[in-house]
Amino acid sequence: MTTQTGESNSVSGSSSLMVNLADTTEDGRQIRLIFVDDDDLYREALVAELVEYGFAVAAFADGASMLEYLATGASADIIVLDWNLPALAGIDLLPKLRRRGVVVPVVFLTSRSAPVYENMAFDRGAIDFVDKTRGVPILAKRLKVIVESTKRPAAMAADESLQYGRLTLKLHISRAYWGEVDVNLTLSEFNIVRLLASNTGEHVTYRAVYDCMHHEGFIAGSGEDGYRTNVRSSIKRIRNKFRAIDPDFAAIENFPSFGYRWNQSTQQQSG
């Protein structure tokens, strides 16, 4: 059934809901969002609220419907997935998207807030993990920050990349390659690797690494230096992703109580 009211166009069905309104972000462009959740009432309620925050939303009840939508040539700025989805769970849907060449940032919005699920989401390539209890205002802000941070600078050439030995950083899509293999880093992980590699041979402090993950002065964890635990976890995930491609990867060196360094001699090794 299709209904139209004023400037809004709403298409609803058993598996999808598309809403487009004239609200815009600060730069005058709507953020195009894909949302997948099998709870019909929750999905439609969330879509209605996100529209009020200026998003153009395509919503689906399952991953198959979303994949069919993308196969038509449709695109989005960001994808939000529920964990519990019929047939194909959200955590398994994410790598399927990557294999199909969909490099849009993916955020999990779920009731499964335990750290084990959060770690699994980041390991699979999610860029953020949000508990449903946080509410739509917080979700909307986080989504807008992610989209703004991944926007391609107007002056950046489509093929612009940085080369550090075997490491290639493709800036316009925020992807890192070891040799010719995509390391499948999240945006935060990509920013960490870029920070370290662009300071090859120089020591980068824990604080500097953490600031590039969040923002300067952000504090988290227990105690004044609690952020170090978060940095160590991120570095561990990054190393594991590189080692899944190259078991001998050792380009990231640790300096206890200080930070990390991208090893210049290691990066110059040939594949």
Side-chain angles (χ1 to χ4, degrees), residues 157-206:
D159 60 349
E160 185 172 352
S161 62
L162 299 176
Q163 191 75 38
Y164 302 96
R166 296 184 63 191
L167 175 68
T168 302
L169 300 178
K170 295 190 176 183
L171 306 183
H172 62 294
I173 55 174
S174 297
R175 307 303 294 174
Y177 296 81
W178 189 248
E180 297 182 354
V181 182
D182 189 342
V183 189
N184 197 29
L185 299 178
T186 67
L187 179 61
S188 292
E189 292 166 352
F190 175 86
N191 288 336
I192 292 173
V193 170
R194 181 180 179 182
L195 173 67
L196 295 175
S198 63
N199 290 279
T200 294
E202 302 292 331
H203 300 111
V204 180
T205 66
Y206 281 99

Side-chain angles (χ1 to χ4, degrees), residues 86-164:
L88 185 65
I91 193 66
D92 297 318
L93 180 59
L94 197 161
K96 184 179 286 288
L97 287 168
R98 296 298 184 243
R99 288 194 295 270
R100 294 192 178 200
V102 179
V103 295
V104 174
V106 172
V107 173
F108 274 96
L109 178 65
T110 177
S111 298
R112 296 195 177 192
S113 57
V116 62
Y117 298 113
E118 185 172 5
N119 283 326
M120 191 183 305
F122 285 127
D123 287 342
R124 291 289 180 91
I127 199 169
D128 204 355
F129 185 92
V130 183
D131 191 323
K132 286 183 175 179
T133 61
R134 297 299 302 276
V136 178
I138 293 297
L139 173 65
K141 287 182 179 179
R142 292 171 79 153
L143 295 177
K144 287 183 178 181
V145 166
I146 291 170
V147 171
E148 289 293 334
S149 67
T150 57
K151 278 184 179 178
R152 172 183 167 184
M156 182 180 292
D159 60 349
E160 185 172 352
S161 62
L162 299 176
Q163 191 75 38
Y164 302 96

Side-chain angles (χ1 to χ4, degrees), residues 25 29-34 54-56 70 74-80 103-107 127 143 146-148 150-151:
T25 56
R29 186 181 66 84
Q30 278 188 297
I31 294 176
R32 300 165 301 160
L33 181 148
I34 290 176
F55 293 86
L70 291 171
S75 61
D77 298 306
I78 194 164
I79 296 174
V80 178
V103 295
V104 174
V106 172
V107 173
I127 199 169
L143 295 177
I146 291 170
V147 171
E148 289 293 334
T150 57
K151 278 184 179 178

Side-chain angles (χ1 to χ4, degrees), residues 27-69:
D27 65 355
R29 186 181 66 84
Q30 278 188 297
I31 294 176
R32 300 165 301 160
L33 181 148
I34 290 176
F35 176 48
V36 187
D37 194 300
D38 63 333
D39 185 327
D40 293 342
L41 293 178
Y42 179 79
R43 185 178 65 252
E44 295 188 12
L46 186 69
V47 167
E49 290 194 62
L50 286 174
V51 165
E52 293 181 0
Y53 282 93
F55 293 86
V57 185
F60 304 91
D62 54 69
S65 299
M66 181 195 68
L67 293 174
E68 290 177 6
Y69 173 71

